[in-house]
Amino acid sequence: MTDAGLPHEWREILALELKAPYVKALQEIVAKERKEHTVYPPQSDVYNAFQLTSYKKVKVLLLGQDPYHDEGQAHGLAFSVRPGIKPPPSLRNILKELHHELGCRIPNNGCLEPWARQGVLLLNAFLTVRAHEPASHQGMGWERFTDAVIRKLSDRDEPLVFVHFGGFARKKSKLIDTDRHIVIESAHPSPLSAAKFFGSKPFSKINAALKQLGKDEIDWQLPDV
């Protein structure tokens, strides 16, 4: 594993972090995992969230936890799958909430790249996972790296909206300057907590917050492909 897929702008922002000894150790651990196990997403997709959403263009940070761990699902964007891949339960619940909340038509795919291109950084706390073993790459150093990303966004002069689905993401609020940025929290869209997620209207709240900050709202409608 390398950080070769990390765009130049993000590499500059995270320069000190990338020089830290734990990053080299993390890279070696993930490289060993890839030799001995199937690891998702493919190396070429690990930094997709950063490739699609530049540091300066981030308007919303939507934080996930683990990449999807079944074949073909993870492609480097939290909650997203590529066209042709059946949306997992959490993503199906996100699409249902969008339909009931904003009247968005449920698309024939679960690819969230259109959101990323509008400034929604779809960041997982852990950027890799062993196949069929959720949470298998926690504790390797990814969380330290993605915490640094959150801090760097919090340090930015231009305010943005941080979105936390569930208790894991909510703990990241301590990394954020809440006097300057807007934090929106709701239950996680997984089947275990979907009853609380449905009706929480997070996407309306995000757009209202963006409007408050003088930014363009997100068009949440995903196109058919």
Side-chain angles (χ1 to χ4, degrees), residues 12 33 74 77 101 134-135 148 162 189:
E12 285 191 330
E33 281 281 296
L77 300 181
E101 179 184 344
F162 292 85

Side-chain angles (χ1 to χ4, degrees), residues 3 12 28 34 43 82 84 122 124 145 154 185 187 197 199 216:
D3 56 16
E12 285 191 330
E28 291 172 351
R34 288 195 185 277
Q43 177 58 45
R82 282 203 167 100
L122 296 161
N124 278 315
F145 177 76
S154 178
E185 298 177 345
F197 175 74
D216 291 338

Side-chain angles (χ1 to χ4, degrees), residues 14-221:
L14 297 165
L16 289 177
E17 204 68 24
L18 292 171
K19 292 176 183 175
Y22 85 89
V23 171
K24 183 178 180 182
L26 170 63
Q27 291 172 343
E28 291 172 351
I29 292 168
V30 175
K32 186 172 185 287
E33 281 281 296
R34 288 195 185 277
K35 287 180 180 178
E36 298 176 356
H37 307 276
T38 300
V39 171
Y40 299 130
Q43 177 58 45
S44 58
D45 287 343
V46 168
Y47 296 109
N48 264 353
F50 301 95
Q51 291 172 3
L52 290 169
T53 314
S54 72
Y55 177 77
K56 291 179 181 177
K57 291 185 178 178
V58 176
K59 297 194 294 189
V60 179
L61 171 63
L62 177 52
L63 185 69
Q65 190 166 347
D66 249 357
Y68 294 129
H69 55 82
D70 286 337
E71 184 178 358
Q73 291 180 326
H75 69 118
L77 300 181
F79 297 107
S80 179
V81 293
R82 282 203 167 100
I85 302 296
K86 182 181 178 182
S90 291
L91 179 53
R92 288 203 300 272
N93 288 338
I94 286 172
L95 298 176
K96 286 178 185 175
E97 173 63 16
L98 277 167
H99 176 67
H100 291 296
E101 179 184 344
L102 295 175
C104 291
R105 172 184 41 77
I106 294 179
N108 64 358
N109 70 98
C111 183
L112 306 185
E113 287 187 10
W115 297 358
R117 296 184 193 281
Q118 293 178 74
V120 182
L121 182 65
L122 296 161
L123 180 69
N124 278 315
F126 311 98
L127 300 190
T128 56
V129 67
R130 193 184 294 179
H132 318 303
E133 296 185 38
S136 51
H137 283 190
Q138 292 188 22
M140 291 182 175
W142 277 129
E143 188 170 9
R144 184 171 169 183
F145 177 76
T146 54
D147 279 0
V149 173
I150 295 169
R151 287 192 185 95
K152 286 295 184 182
L153 287 167
S154 178
D155 290 345
R156 207 179 68 175
D157 290 337
E158 191 176 358
L160 63 140
V161 182
F162 292 85
V163 184
H164 298 157
F165 288 164
F168 175 86
R170 199 171 290 126
K171 293 175 184 176
K172 304 297 182 180
S173 292
K174 67 180 182 290
L175 306 174
I176 299 162
D177 181 352
T178 54
D179 290 333
R180 295 193 303 112
H181 303 286
I182 297 175
V183 178
I184 292 171
E185 298 177 345
S186 79
H188 196 278
S190 79
L192 295 173
S193 53
K196 293 181 179 179
F197 175 74
F198 291 136
S200 61
K201 299 185 177 180
F203 304 101
S204 300
K205 292 174 182 175
I206 293 167
N207 275 353
L210 289 171
K211 195 172 181 180
Q212 180 182 330
L213 295 175
K215 299 178 182 293
D216 291 338
E217 298 177 355
I218 303 298
D219 178 3
W220 298 107
Q221 178 64 67

